[in-house]
Amino acid sequence: APNAGLVPDHLVILIRDQDTPTDNALVTAQLVHLREQGMQPSRIKRLTDFVDNSSFWTFLPWFAPISELDTTAQWYLFLEPESRVNVSSLSSELLASRDAAAPHFIGHLLKDTEPSITHHYKLGVQYPFLPSGFVMSSGLLTKIVAYLKTHRLGSDFQIDVGHELAVFLSTRLQAQLEHHPRFCIRDAHVPPPPSSTVTEDDKDSLLKH
């Protein structure tokens, strides 16, 4: 197992799961994987840990409760139940050189090459491939929560919540989303995204196992 001493104590991991047999089995294996790397259970939260989580799958309603979980947290890693991560590599290769007080969003970004009804026919938007996970700084989370305190959430129907989050961040907060190839698209548990959204560079990406 990776050296637990390399596991950052400023990282909180959020798992966007649902209370279903499939997700529960995936998360059980995921929790074992994380704890073997030295992650403390108190720094791992499931969506289903929250009492009122009926709308949290869309991300935006989840951010205010997340910001109250741990005031010492500097980075927030969002995973799907099937996601896997090497925590020490994440910390040493991506987070150590970045300022958590700045508005960072890092993940495996995709961009449509043709209009899609799923994405409201919008082209040019870079959005995260959610099974690869993405990491957000406390600086960005603070900006999101401050914005949501003065702006009501819309009631638009959301099909691809990763795309909707990217549109919100880029248009409402003018945030820059960063693509990093170490968030990969290939894993035994995860089908790759549609070929129309994958570049040749993406196909050669490596997962942080």
Side-chain angles (χ1 to χ4, degrees):
N3 185 350
L6 296 177
V7 176
D9 58 7
H10 52 259
L11 175 70
V12 172
I13 294 180
L14 294 312
I15 304 170
R16 194 178 68 103
D17 67 329
Q18 298 182 49
D19 187 15
T20 65
T22 298
D23 273 12
N24 288 334
L26 287 170
V27 172
T28 296
Q30 187 179 52
L31 292 176
V32 170
H33 179 69
L34 292 170
R35 290 167 183 169
E36 286 176 345
Q37 298 181 74
M39 281 298 300
Q40 296 298 316
S42 62
R43 306 192 75 82
I44 306 170
K45 298 295 181 181
R46 302 173 60 173
L47 184 153
T48 49
D49 290 336
F50 294 83
V51 175
D52 182 14
N53 61 24
S54 59
S55 62
F56 285 5
W57 72 281
T58 62
F59 282 115
L60 292 183
W62 204 10
F63 289 137
I66 287 173
S67 69
E68 300 171 357
L69 286 175
D70 186 342
T71 56
T72 67
Q74 298 179 24
W75 297 97
Y76 300 85
L77 175 64
F78 292 81
L79 301 176
E80 299 291 285
E82 65 269 29
S83 305
R84 292 295 182 271
V85 61
N86 183 313
V87 179
S88 62
S89 293
L90 173 71
S91 179
S92 62
E93 296 180 27
L94 272 77
L95 306 185
S97 61
R98 290 172 168 82
D99 180 7
H104 289 291
F105 182 106
I106 313 165
H108 189 102
L109 303 184
L110 305 173
K111 185 166 64 174
D112 293 343
T113 57
E114 56 187 35
S116 165
I117 188 173
T118 304
H119 296 157
H120 312 292
Y121 302 104
K122 294 178 180 178
L123 292 176
V125 177
Q126 288 190 304
Y127 57 96
F129 181 53
L130 297 182
S132 296
F134 65 86
V135 67
M136 178 184 296
S137 66
S138 58
L140 180 56
L141 183 64
T142 298
K143 288 187 67 174
I144 294 172
V145 173
Y147 180 91
L148 294 177
K149 283 181 178 178
T150 57
H151 297 75
R152 295 185 62 182
L153 289 175
S155 58
D156 295 340
F157 180 70
Q158 299 191 9
I159 302 174
D160 184 337
V161 296
H163 186 273
E164 301 292 348
L165 175 61
V167 171
F168 169 83
L169 293 175
S170 59
T171 60
R172 302 292 183 91
L173 300 182
Q174 289 72 54
Q176 299 294 318
L177 280 64
E178 177 184 347
H179 172 79
H180 200 289
R182 291 289 280 166
F183 287 84
C184 105
I185 60 176
R186 297 302 175 93
D187 183 82
H189 301 286
V190 183
S195 57
S196 62
T197 66
V198 182
T199 68
E200 290 302 314
D201 289 340
D202 293 332
K203 293 177 182 177
D204 294 330
S205 298
L206 299 174
L207 189 62
K208 351 180 254 303
H209 276 329

